[in-house]
Amino acid sequence: MAVSLEGLVQAVINGNAVQVREEVKKALAAGVDPGRIIADGFVAAMDVVGERFERNEIYVTDLIITARAMHTGLKELKPFMLTGQVQPVGRVVIGTVQGDIHDIGKNLLGIMLEASGFEVLDLGVNVAPSTFVEAVIKHHPDVLCLSALLSSTRGAMGETIEALKEAGWRRKVKVVVGGTPLNATIAARMGADGYAPDATAAVQLIKDLIGASGKHQAVLAPATLDLFFGKGSLEDLQQAFNRLTGLHLIMVDATGSPLTPPVGFLECSRHCHLLQGSPTRAIDVTTLAGNFKEAFIYRCHAGLVEISYPLANEDGTVGTVLCGHCLLAGDPAPDQLKAAVPVLNLKDLEALCALLSFVAGQIMQLNAVLLANKELEEQRTSFIHFLKRQHQLEQALKDAELKALQSQVNPHFLFNALNTIARLALFEGAATTEKMVRSLARLMRYSLYQVKETVTLAEEIAAVRDYLFIQQTRFPDRVQGQVSVEEGILEARVPCMILQPLVENAVIHGLEPREKGGEITVTGRRVGEQVHIEIKDDGVGIPPEVQKAIFDLQVRGSGKGQVSGLGIVNVFRRLQHHFGGNCALDVSSTPGKGTCIQLSFPYTI
């Protein structure tokens, strides 16, 4: 009596991790095959969950809870998977593309794929195109899944697909993309095989893609065709076979087209007149009992025996060896016909089939070796191409680093010159000039040398003060600035240059276009474990279409040599990269009245 897995199915649907683990242990103790636990337990449960999700009966949080419960049960089956007792449905490589660190959807997909019997290789987040290519070359997955949440990282998906093409591996793997900034049209345009809006749809899509591709198609390697079936290659074998057996040998491909010269195989019709008026009764070949290997024995339209032996492997049939024509001992036939064609008894027929089996086996064995060599050569060629591409990129990086190193000579010279000018101004009694030059030098040094580091909020505020002092000195009647930040948050660590670009945007796009200028205020305080920063101006405001572009993380030109929204976009990207989803940026603006930008991020020191 089969053990019911209904308890496991319900436990997964309910998201009860403890019960899922116990139900799996109970099923294993009862001798249930691990493969059945996955198919009739986890997969059946996720089918129900997927349908409920599509009908909006449950939400993403429910999916996550269900997936985690199921993952708990999968841990109990891990040892059986590692020992090969559970054969994977397919292999999938997943990852979030370069520039994006969101992983909830990716992680959920990985769990659901494992529950559906797939072997999953998770590359993590912020994965470079070259890393995806290396994983495809190394692991030979059936499907590559690319995830992205940010519109700005959508391009990395197309770059990854192009990298696969350059490495020569695009045709060998299916590519599925998913994430908020995508749809089916965009996916098709970038060259993906499919798009899935969520994890449940992705699992079904991957199953369909693998099912559609099926097994590897059985083929004859070009080298096999040249060695065995090229002009004159099999003539000696055919002649020797005919001398030994009196039968003719011919080989055809899967469509029935001859791969070798037909020689006398098709000349059986010349014996047909010998059968005219002779008895039609003959031995039924389907009733013969003997060891004929994989041979198919049948009669032609004239009643002569033909033998068909398949050229096949586990992937299918690539062709057939045909042998004929003969009579079987006991067949009623004129003596003239018996003298014209061989007459075989049962043992002769078995021996002939064994010989055909050997010939077919040798052909397929060589074909397998030649196909493997061809694949290895293609892999070697593509990998060499990939390595050359990597070398070119590394060389370009080294060149860029050298140019960056060379370019530091000018800033050093400029800083020294600015410091000299500042000292001269101080000696000559020009205090404002001295302060202006020192502010400029500090701001330039800060922006040039610390952009890759985290800094304290105090350092960020100092850069903002220097920038505002320079602008107020340039436009004393048009730009006013106030900075008021609680002392308790000044030690918080933040990515460099997250405040000054926002203040600069406020000056350039908010106050400069205004005839009378205006005022900028920067305030900061701590709320619980979060730091809240507000940058507010009373300038011309941001048009609604530009606000939308900023929220869509798109950059628009302003026509003034600057880029409207660029500072806001870059700040938000770097905050997300550093703090993940535990940060926020909000822009509120009214044309003609001003703009307010609010930042929120964790207080860390």
Side-chain angles (χ1 to χ4, degrees):
M1 181 178 177
V3 178
S4 173
L5 296 176
E6 184 59 31
L8 174 61
V9 172
Q10 287 302 319
V12 172
I13 293 173
N14 296 334
N16 189 331
V18 175
Q19 187 181 353
V20 168
R21 184 188 296 111
E22 294 304 315
E23 290 291 337
V24 171
K25 289 181 178 179
K26 187 191 303 181
L28 290 173
V32 179
D33 181 73
R36 183 178 165 231
I37 294 176
I38 291 178
D40 296 345
F42 294 141
V43 176
M46 292 313 296
D47 286 343
V48 175
V49 173
E51 291 174 2
R52 291 184 179 179
F53 181 73
E54 290 176 357
R55 294 196 299 265
N56 295 321
E57 295 176 4
I58 60 175
Y59 304 99
V60 173
T61 51
D62 302 301
L63 270 181
I64 294 174
I65 293 172
T66 302
R68 286 176 177 170
M70 182 173 51
H71 197 58
T72 302
L74 283 173
K75 289 180 180 178
E76 298 295 326
L77 295 178
K78 219 51 164 174
F80 299 93
M81 295 178 180
L82 296 176
T83 58
Q85 294 187 41
V86 178
Q87 294 299 321
V89 175
R91 180 177 296 169
V92 181
V93 169
I94 65 175
T96 302
V97 296
Q98 190 170 40
D100 203 322
I101 60 172
H102 296 87
D103 62 357
I104 292 179
K106 171 188 67 67
N107 294 344
L108 181 59
L109 173 60
I111 294 173
M112 294 181 69
L113 283 171
E114 285 187 340
S116 297
F118 287 88
E119 179 185 356
V120 178
L121 301 166
D122 189 346
L123 302 183
V125 300
N126 194 27
V127 182
S130 60
T131 305
F132 279 117
V133 174
E134 289 175 0
V136 169
I137 293 174
K138 181 178 180 181
H139 300 291
H140 296 81
D142 299 292
V143 180
L144 172 65
C145 293
L146 307 177
S147 174
L149 185 67
L150 303 176
S151 299
S152 57
T153 60
R154 189 169 61 199
M157 289 181 165
E159 293 172 7
T160 301
I161 295 174
E162 285 301 316
L164 282 171
K165 290 180 181 178
E166 289 183 6
W169 281 78
R170 178 62 187 92
R171 295 182 180 179
K172 300 177 183 179
V173 64
K174 299 292 184 182
V175 179
V176 172
V177 297
T180 304
L182 300 169
N183 56 42
T185 302
I186 295 173
R189 192 181 303 135
M190 68 174 59
D193 293 295
Y195 157 75
D198 51 62
T200 54
V203 172
Q204 186 58 51
L205 173 61
I206 290 168
K207 289 180 179 179
D208 292 341
L209 286 174
I210 292 181
S213 60
K215 295 181 179 179
H216 297 291
Q217 185 178 1
V219 294
L220 282 171
T224 306
L225 293 171
D226 291 338
L227 286 174
F228 264 103
F229 307 115
K231 186 175 181 181
S233 299
L234 275 181
E235 288 182 3
D236 292 342
L237 175 60
Q238 288 176 303
Q239 292 173 6
F241 188 83
N242 180 252
R243 285 196 300 268
L244 287 172
T245 65
L247 301 172
H248 295 288
L249 196 68
I250 181 176
M251 299 184 190
V252 299
D253 63 17
T255 65
S257 300
L259 293 170
T260 61
V263 289
F265 182 82
L266 301 181
E267 298 179 8
C268 70
S269 58
R270 63 191 175 94
H271 303 302
C272 292
H273 71 282
L274 299 176
L275 294 170
Q276 291 178 0
S278 63
T280 56
R281 183 182 62 83
I283 297 175
D284 184 358
V285 293
T286 61
T287 64
L288 293 176
N291 182 15
F292 304 120
K293 303 294 185 179
E294 301 296 325
F296 175 56
I297 304 170
Y298 58 97
R299 293 185 185 275
C300 71
H301 67 284
L304 296 176
V305 174
E306 291 182 4
I307 303 170
S308 170
Y309 203 96
L311 294 172
N313 57 23
E314 62 275 9
D315 294 329
T317 301
V318 299
T320 305
V321 179
L322 298 177
C323 176
H325 294 80
C326 66
L327 291 169
L328 294 179
D331 277 346
D335 292 340
Q336 190 178 358
L337 179 60
K338 291 182 179 180
V341 299
V343 179
L344 304 181
N345 59 34
L346 189 60
K347 287 192 176 297
D348 293 334
L349 194 58
E350 289 180 341
L352 180 60
C353 291
L355 179 59
L356 294 177
S357 174
F358 175 77
V359 173
Q362 291 299 303
I363 293 175
M364 294 309 296
Q365 185 175 348
L366 177 63
N367 187 62
V369 172
L370 294 175
L371 281 175
N373 288 341
K374 181 174 179 288
E375 184 175 354
L376 285 173
E377 182 62 26
E378 289 177 351
Q379 291 178 11
R380 188 180 73 87
T381 302
S382 62
F383 193 62
I384 290 174
H385 177 79
F386 175 73
L387 290 177
K388 286 182 179 178
R389 175 68 172 166
Q390 287 294 99
H391 176 73
Q392 291 172 353
L393 292 175
E394 290 172 1
Q395 190 61 45
L397 179 60
K398 289 179 181 179
D399 293 342
E401 290 174 347
L402 178 60
K403 290 179 181 178
L405 183 63
Q406 292 171 340
S407 69
Q408 290 183 8
V409 175
N410 289 333
H412 278 302
F413 175 78
L414 179 60
F415 295 148
N416 292 333
L418 288 173
N419 286 331
T420 301
I421 294 172
R423 284 195 294 270
L424 287 173
L426 183 62
F427 292 152
E428 294 173 359
T432 302
T433 302
E434 185 267 343
K435 188 174 181 181
M436 173 79 165
V437 173
R438 289 199 181 278
S439 295
L440 177 59
R442 283 195 303 267
L443 186 60
M444 291 185 66
R445 186 182 299 274
Y446 181 72
S447 63
L448 286 173
Y449 290 130
Q450 298 197 59
V451 291
K452 291 185 178 180
E453 303 174 2
T454 61
V455 296
T456 63
L457 191 58
E459 293 174 286
E460 276 291 291
I461 294 298
V464 169
R465 292 184 190 277
D466 284 333
Y467 174 77
L468 285 175
F469 175 77
I470 293 170
Q471 293 291 14
Q472 287 174 280
T473 304
R474 291 177 63 205
F475 310 108
D477 298 328
R478 289 175 51 78
V479 177
Q480 299 297 319
Q482 298 291 331
V483 179
S484 176
V485 177
E486 292 180 358
E487 188 173 347
I489 64 172
L490 293 178
E491 295 303 313
R493 304 294 299 188
V494 295
C496 181
M497 297 295 289
I498 63 166
L499 297 185
Q500 187 275 335
L502 301 181
V503 174
E504 183 174 357
N505 262 338
V507 171
I508 294 173
H509 303 296
L511 303 188
E512 283 189 8
R514 188 177 177 187
E515 184 177 349
K516 296 183 179 180
E519 183 178 13
I520 296 174
T521 60
V522 180
T523 59
R525 58 195 177 93
R526 180 171 176 178
V527 180
E529 295 301 316
Q530 293 284 113
V531 174
H532 287 249
I533 303 292
E534 182 179 271
I535 300 170
K536 190 174 183 179
D537 69 75
D538 57 359
V540 297
I542 302 176
E545 65 273 12
V546 177
Q547 290 188 57
K548 182 179 185 303
I550 292 173
F551 281 117
D552 290 341
L553 293 182
Q554 298 172 355
V555 179
R556 302 291 179 89
S558 67
K560 295 185 177 182
Q562 302 288 335
V563 182
S564 178
L566 177 60
I568 299 174
V569 171
N570 284 338
V571 166
F572 186 48
R573 286 174 180 165
R574 288 189 292 113
L575 281 174
Q576 282 194 315
H577 182 74
H578 187 72
F579 295 111
N582 196 17
C583 64
L585 183 149
D586 182 67
V587 179
S588 58
S589 182
T590 302
K593 294 186 178 181
T595 302
C596 179
I597 300 176
Q598 294 180 321
L599 301 178
S600 176
F601 50 85
Y603 177 81
T604 57
I605 57 175

